[in-house]
Amino acid sequence: MQVENRVVIATHIKIIGFTMYWTLELASKLEDAPWPASKDELIDYAMRSGAPLEVIENLQEIEDEGDIYESIEDIWPDYPSKEDFFFNEEEY
C-alpha cells in the first residue's frame, strides 16, 4: 500500500508542474539567437536550430507578458559572463 502512495505522489508532482533549469550547455544553444527576441521568436529559433528539448521546455515555461529579451541574462540572470572565466595570473 505504501508503494502505491509513493507512485501516486510522484505522478502527481510530475503532472503539477515542470521546474525550469538552465545549464551552461543548454544556455549556450541560445548564444546565436536573434537577440533581442520575444519568447515566441526564441522558441522558434530553438526548434529550427535543433536545440535540445529541455531548451524549448524552459523557454515555454517563461511567463509571457509580451516581453522582449535582450540576451540570455534576461532569461537566466545567473548566466556567467565571459569575464567570469578569465583568470588573472597577476593576482596569484
Side-chain angles (χ1 to χ4, degrees), residues 11-29:
T11 303
H12 183 65
I13 291 170
K14 186 176 180 182
I15 292 171
I16 286 177
F18 169 78
T19 303
M20 183 170 62
Y21 71 95
W22 287 102
T23 64
L24 287 175
E25 181 181 359
L26 293 176
S28 72
K29 304 300 181 185

Side-chain angles (χ1 to χ4, degrees), residues 2-91:
Q2 226 172 3
V3 172
E4 291 177 18
N5 287 341
R6 289 182 187 163
V7 170
V8 170
I9 290 171
T11 303
H12 183 65
I13 291 170
K14 186 176 180 182
I15 292 171
I16 286 177
F18 169 78
T19 303
M20 183 170 62
Y21 71 95
W22 287 102
T23 64
L24 287 175
E25 181 181 359
L26 293 176
S28 72
K29 304 300 181 185
L30 296 176
E31 283 182 359
D32 295 327
W35 303 105
S38 67
K39 172 185 171 179
D40 290 336
E41 290 170 332
L42 291 171
I43 292 170
D44 181 58
Y45 171 80
M47 293 171 91
R48 286 185 294 109
S49 66
L53 182 60
E54 291 89 349
V55 173
I56 297 165
E57 289 173 343
N58 283 346
L59 292 171
Q60 289 172 338
E61 286 296 312
I62 297 171
E63 292 184 22
D64 190 13
E65 298 176 7
D67 294 334
I68 298 295
Y69 302 97
E70 298 293 326
S71 67
I72 187 66
E73 288 88 359
D74 288 348
I75 295 170
W76 183 27
D78 293 332
Y79 182 74
S81 68
K82 291 182 182 181
E83 295 166 356
D84 293 334
F85 294 105
F86 286 129
F87 179 75
N88 188 353
E89 292 179 0
E90 295 176 8
E91 290 182 8

